[in-house]
Amino acid sequence: QSNNSWVVLFMKANKVPDFTLSYIFVFTELLLKVRSINLMKSKSGENRTEHHTNRYHGDDFVIRRGQNFQLWITLSRPFNPNTDKLHLELKTGPLPTVSKETHVIIPLVEALEGNRWEAAVVAQDDKRLNLSVNSSPSAVIGRYQLTVETNCANGPASFTADPANDIYMLFNPWCEGDTVFMDSEDVRQEYVLNDVGRIYYGTENQIGARTWNYGQFDNGILAACLYILEKSGTLPSGWGDSVNVVRIISAMVNSPDDQGVLEGNWSGDYSGGTSPTAWSGSVEILKAYHKNKGSPVKYGQCWVFAGVVTTVLRCLGIPCRPVTNFNSAHDTDVSLTTDVYLDENLEPIDHLNADSIWNFHVWNDCWMARPDLPPGNGGWQAVDATPQETSQGSYRCGPASLAAVRNGQVYLKYDCPFVFAEVNSDKIYWQKNANGTFTQIYSEKKTVGHYISTKAVGSDERNDITDLYKYPEGTEEERIAVETACRYGSKASAFSSSKAEDVSVEVTMDGQGPTMGNDAELTITLRNSSSEKRTVTLNSQAVVMYYTGVPKATVRKHTVEVDVATFFNVMFFAMFLDTETALDWSLEVRETQQVQATQFSFRLRTPDLIIKPIGKAVVGEKTAIEISFTNPLPQVLKAVTFNMEGLGLLTARKIKYGRASVSLTEYFIPTLPGPRKLLASLDCKQLTQVHGVTDITVEEKSNAAL
């Protein structure tokens, strides 16, 4: 109406004849224009509830592809389906193109068919239209600008895009037509919607667990995840392909070649950043990366990379879980074996030993169909963001089909050889000859890939998923898989079958193992399965090392010659001040020239942080908790920092503290009701992997007052 008034004033001022004025007035009134759009974005409304996006923070319109949604359009006059035309347009990326599916034209149809972009009028109230819209299950994910185009006998009109009407499109595990579809609601709740989880670490004999806040629905996290995709420099036209998106995220969560989210650091010196063991969740990391316009956050190690990948993929709608592999091999030369080179005296040749076995390594499984691979390779896929080896020129790994890895089909993409070696490579020992060549002296076929673990669905229990990655050790199927894989390795001719050995070694420790600050007591048992006595020279050394299997320092060496009739026990003592440790040993049998060498890894247990809520927790009211901790070391801890966070409880907070034993009280104001977890960790140079968690049930303010 106001526009028409201005036209009238203008025409009168310029002495335009009345019949012309009347024509213009009628023309503008009959033009079909969009006055407003209501996307019904309320968290409690049908759209976001049905799309399982009602937990995303804020009022953005977040929906999942391949699923229907509703909207209302208010027009300048009632819509006449006989003479008026209307369609929706969505645009994403810097150069929206119809052929690339980044410019989507959504036609108005009489009846919806599904599995395609389409819209239909389901109700009309005077000038208001209620549209029901379907999206394609293969739609590009990301942020779309929405416009509405109209046309009638008097000409076209366009409703300019308004950022308030932008649509955020995600993958949809609830849609059968989506490649990430999962058919169980329990697993969708766990691998898409659960925003708190467990990540395992330690050694195969001492498995530890820590709680991790994924926080995929937290304020600003969806924007940060989409920023990561944009920062990758990849074309949005490829963001509808779940395989491609996972590959992008795998590369972008590390930073060596693309200024990605996290900078890895295994040096032990974390000055200028945060120690990897101090993080308790992904939210602070992702927000810092986004806020600082793509400057990598310092620092991460494997579990931090995996925690962030879990957050990003769940946020984008791809089912994901962190996975821990104990005794995880790092194959550097695509031999599909873990090679150890020894000199004439059975001492390691350090400059040749590039392969290593990590006490544990954490990566991710994500769930999707694999239309790019032969049938049977869909389902769980391994993806690893820790920068170890390059894949097609970038530090990334996967997605590698677990079915392919299990069967040794390492020729299938992506990066199956590397993942296979991590979980099922043979460890082969080579001894240097006088002429400079090497001879294979021993192989271990059951050393790599133990207790592959992830959090169980619906509980905090550990779920062993080793059988998804490999057949049971020593079975015919497992050996066939190894032989199949090694035929494609760089040392195919070196692979040989086992030979008989009559002296074996077992290393054991009591209970859950030694604690930080106390002696480590290990028992080395030699067993002779022959009917004759064996004279054995046993060399052993205690080594402090990084969890990646890289030695840091030798603590103690010991050599003994023993006669073994049936069995013989050797006790080994050492004092350690580092959590990650190992006992390396080698033996030589005088009578048979049998040679054997291997490693036993263990972890010195650190004390937990004890977190106790004081009183009840109520939304919007000050709540207290007490944190207590006792220093197990003989020296005073210096530059101690406590890190606290909890989804719906408090944002990440750092507390500086300087005493050896501590009992402190902290306060926070909960923002969300229901069951919550408060996480805390301790960070200092002398101690790592010190953390704690407590469950807090937050009451609604109104309920608490009753």
Side-chain angles (χ1 to χ4, degrees):
Q1 185 66 41
S2 60
N3 288 340
N4 290 332
S5 300
W6 279 109
V7 170
V8 171
L9 291 173
F10 175 82
M11 300 303 281
K12 286 186 175 180
N14 289 275
K15 299 181 179 179
V16 176
D18 287 345
F19 70 90
T20 306
L21 178 62
S22 176
Y23 173 78
I24 291 174
F25 184 82
V26 171
F27 176 81
T28 56
E29 270 298 296
L30 294 179
L31 205 62
L32 184 65
K33 292 185 176 182
V34 174
R35 299 300 188 201
S36 64
I37 298 174
N38 180 5
L39 293 173
M40 297 188 286
K41 298 188 288 185
S42 168
K43 291 182 183 180
S44 59
E46 181 178 338
N47 279 336
R48 292 185 62 177
T49 301
E50 291 294 320
H51 284 251
H52 303 92
T53 59
N54 51 313
R55 292 175 62 189
Y56 285 85
H57 189 278
D59 296 323
D60 292 327
F61 189 53
V62 185
I63 56 173
R64 301 186 187 274
R65 66 184 191 177
Q67 192 169 335
N68 179 269
F69 63 94
Q70 307 277 319
L71 61 88
W72 282 91
I73 297 176
T74 301
L75 300 168
S76 57
R77 60 173 176 77
F79 180 77
N80 184 344
N82 297 319
T83 58
D84 296 329
K85 303 293 182 184
L86 179 149
H87 71 265
L88 311 179
E89 293 195 14
L90 294 175
K91 296 179 181 179
T92 188
L95 293 172
T97 308
V98 172
S99 62
K100 303 285 188 183
E101 299 183 22
T102 52
H103 178 184
V104 180
I105 299 173
I106 307 174
L108 210 58
V109 298
E110 290 189 6
L112 297 174
E113 295 183 7
N115 292 322
R116 64 174 187 175
W117 286 105
E118 56 186 355
V121 177
V122 292
Q124 183 168 356
D125 178 16
D126 192 29
K127 299 177 183 180
R128 298 173 69 235
L129 284 183
N130 182 198
L131 298 187
S132 181
V133 183
N134 283 337
S135 62
S136 167
S138 61
V140 168
I141 66 150
R143 181 177 182 172
Y144 287 86
Q145 290 183 327
L146 170 65
T147 59
V148 182
E149 305 290 331
T150 62
N151 206 341
C152 63
N154 294 316
S158 178
F159 183 77
T160 306
D162 180 350
N165 293 325
D166 285 353
I167 295 176
Y168 293 79
M169 186 71 70
L170 307 179
F171 290 101
N172 193 351
W174 286 264
C175 171
E176 290 189 25
D178 199 312
T179 54
V180 302
F181 171 69
M182 299 188 97
D183 61 2
S184 166
E185 183 60 23
D186 287 343
V187 295
R188 289 190 295 249
Q189 289 289 329
E190 181 66 55
Y191 299 133
V192 183
L193 299 183
N194 196 349
D195 56 4
V196 180
R198 305 266 279 177
I199 298 178
Y200 298 93
Y201 67 97
T203 69
E204 63 172 317
N205 298 305
Q206 301 162 287
I207 296 176
R210 62 180 303 161
T211 303
W212 194 266
N213 276 338
Y214 301 123
Q216 65 266 38
F217 308 118
D218 212 64
N219 184 31
I221 295 303
L222 177 56
C225 294
L226 294 178
Y227 175 75
I228 292 170
L229 285 176
E230 294 167 6
K231 186 80 162 42
S232 72
T234 58
L235 296 175
S237 56
W239 297 355
D241 180 354
S242 54
V243 172
N244 183 51
V245 168
V246 163
R247 200 145 167 78
I248 293 168
I249 298 304
S250 172
M252 283 300 299
V253 168
N254 64 63
S255 65
D257 46 20
D258 49 21
Q259 288 293 102
V261 176
L262 270 169
E263 180 177 329
N265 186 341
W266 288 264
S267 70
D269 179 6
Y270 308 118
S271 54
T274 298
S275 167
T277 58
W279 301 113
S280 296
S282 310
V283 171
E284 187 180 1
I285 295 169
L286 288 168
K287 285 185 176 180
Y289 182 70
H290 193 194
K291 179 182 178 181
N292 296 323
K293 299 180 180 178
S295 177
V297 177
K298 301 176 180 181
Y299 295 101
Q301 290 180 7
C302 66
W303 65 92
V304 188
F305 289 108
V308 171
V309 168
T310 304
T311 298
V312 174
L313 294 187
R314 288 187 184 182
C315 182
L316 297 178
I318 298 176
C320 183
R321 63 189 184 190
V323 171
T324 302
N325 178 37
F326 293 94
N327 289 0
S328 186
H330 180 182
D331 176 26
T332 59
D333 59 0
V334 202
S335 65
L336 298 168
T337 56
T338 302
D339 301 298
V340 180
Y341 294 93
L342 309 172
D343 63 18
E344 296 88 341
N345 299 317
L346 297 179
E347 293 286 342
I349 305 175
D350 291 339
H351 71 277
L352 293 181
N353 290 328
D355 290 355
S356 60
I357 296 181
W358 299 24
N359 286 352
F360 70 96
H361 181 45
V362 189
W363 61 75
N364 299 89
D365 283 347
C366 57
W367 180 275
M368 64 185 64
R370 288 300 298 269
D372 57 326
L373 298 182
N377 285 290
W380 288 116
Q381 315 286 315
V383 57
D384 193 347
T386 301
Q388 298 176 88
E389 301 294 327
T390 58
S391 171
Q392 296 179 326
S394 297
Y395 281 100
R396 57 186 168 184
C397 180
S401 164
L402 265 58
V405 170
R406 190 172 194 248
N407 290 298
Q409 296 171 330
V410 296
Y411 46 83
L412 296 176
K413 58 186 182 182
Y414 291 92
D415 307 309
C416 281
F418 188 81
V419 178
F420 178 88
E422 287 183 303
V423 301
N424 206 13
S425 58
D426 285 355
K427 188 176 184 180
I428 298 181
Y429 293 82
W430 305 83
Q431 186 173 25
K432 190 174 184 179
N433 301 315
N435 63 3
T437 61
F438 286 86
T439 300
Q440 180 181 336
I441 59 170
Y442 181 66
S443 66
E444 293 178 322
K445 305 193 182 316
K446 299 180 181 180
T447 295
V448 168
H450 296 169
Y451 300 104
I452 303 175
S453 303
T454 192
K455 177 185 172 299
V457 172
S459 81
D460 282 341
E461 297 299 312
R462 184 182 68 87
N463 184 22
D464 191 305
I465 57 171
T466 308
D467 62 328
L468 296 183
Y469 277 87
K470 58 199 291 189
Y471 291 101
E473 291 282 10
T475 61
E476 183 178 357
E477 295 94 336
E478 188 263 345
R479 285 292 94 193
I480 290 172
V482 172
E483 292 176 19
T484 299
C486 287
R487 284 201 295 269
Y488 295 89
S490 61
K491 296 178 182 174
S493 60
F495 185 79
S496 62
S497 58
S498 61
K499 55 185 178 183
E501 309 282 356
D502 57 23
V503 175
S504 62
V505 181
E506 181 184 17
V507 182
T508 57
M509 59 186 178
D510 291 334
Q512 295 182 334
T515 58
M516 180 71 76
N518 295 315
D519 274 346
E521 179 181 326
L522 305 175
T523 302
I524 305 173
T525 302
L526 304 176
R527 285 189 172 85
N528 176 12
S529 60
S530 74
S531 58
E532 301 175 356
K533 180 188 65 127
R534 294 286 184 252
T535 303
V536 179
T537 300
L538 177 67
N539 302 293
S540 55
Q541 64 176 8
V543 180
V544 174
M545 64 180 186
Y546 300 104
Y547 81 92
T548 58
V550 177
K552 186 188 299 184
T554 299
V555 176
R556 180 184 172 189
K557 285 189 174 184
H558 183 63
T559 299
V560 62
E561 185 175 288
V562 295
D563 292 332
V564 182
T566 54
F567 74 90
F568 189 89
N569 287 337
V570 179
M571 304 302 293
F572 191 96
F573 297 88
M575 174 73 173
F576 298 91
L577 294 179
D578 279 86
T579 56
E580 306 297 340
T581 51
L583 179 68
D584 290 332
W585 58 263
S586 63
L587 65 80
E588 189 167 10
V589 181
R590 181 186 301 168
E591 291 83 0
T592 62
Q593 284 75 54
Q594 173 190 342
V595 176
Q596 189 173 340
T598 192
Q599 183 179 80
F600 177 80
S601 299
F602 59 98
R603 178 176 65 89
L604 299 184
R605 293 184 293 115
T606 54
D608 292 332
L609 292 181
I610 306 301
I611 309 172
K612 294 182 179 179
I614 301 173
K616 63 182 179 181
V618 180
V619 172
E621 295 185 5
K622 193 174 183 180
T623 303
I625 54 105
E626 181 184 76
I627 302 175
S628 57
F629 166 77
T630 301
N631 176 18
L633 299 181
Q635 71 248 43
V636 176
L637 302 183
K638 297 179 180 179
V640 176
T641 301
F642 288 92
N643 301 273
M644 296 172 52
E645 67 175 90
L647 299 174
L649 297 174
L650 77 163
T651 55
R653 179 188 300 176
K654 295 183 186 294
I655 307 160
K656 303 290 185 181
Y657 211 87
R659 284 178 286 175
S661 297
V662 62
S663 178
L664 61 89
T665 302
E666 280 293 309
Y667 299 90
F668 60 93
I669 299 175
T671 57
L672 294 174
R676 301 285 159 189
K677 289 183 182 292
L678 180 67
L679 282 62
S681 65
L682 178 149
D683 179 32
C684 71
K685 286 188 176 182
Q686 298 101 322
L687 275 179
T688 61
Q689 295 290 16
V690 178
H691 45 80
V693 60
T694 190
D695 293 308
I696 297 177
T697 300
V698 182
E699 299 180 16
E700 290 276 14
K701 193 165 187 176
S702 56
N703 294 339
L706 295 177

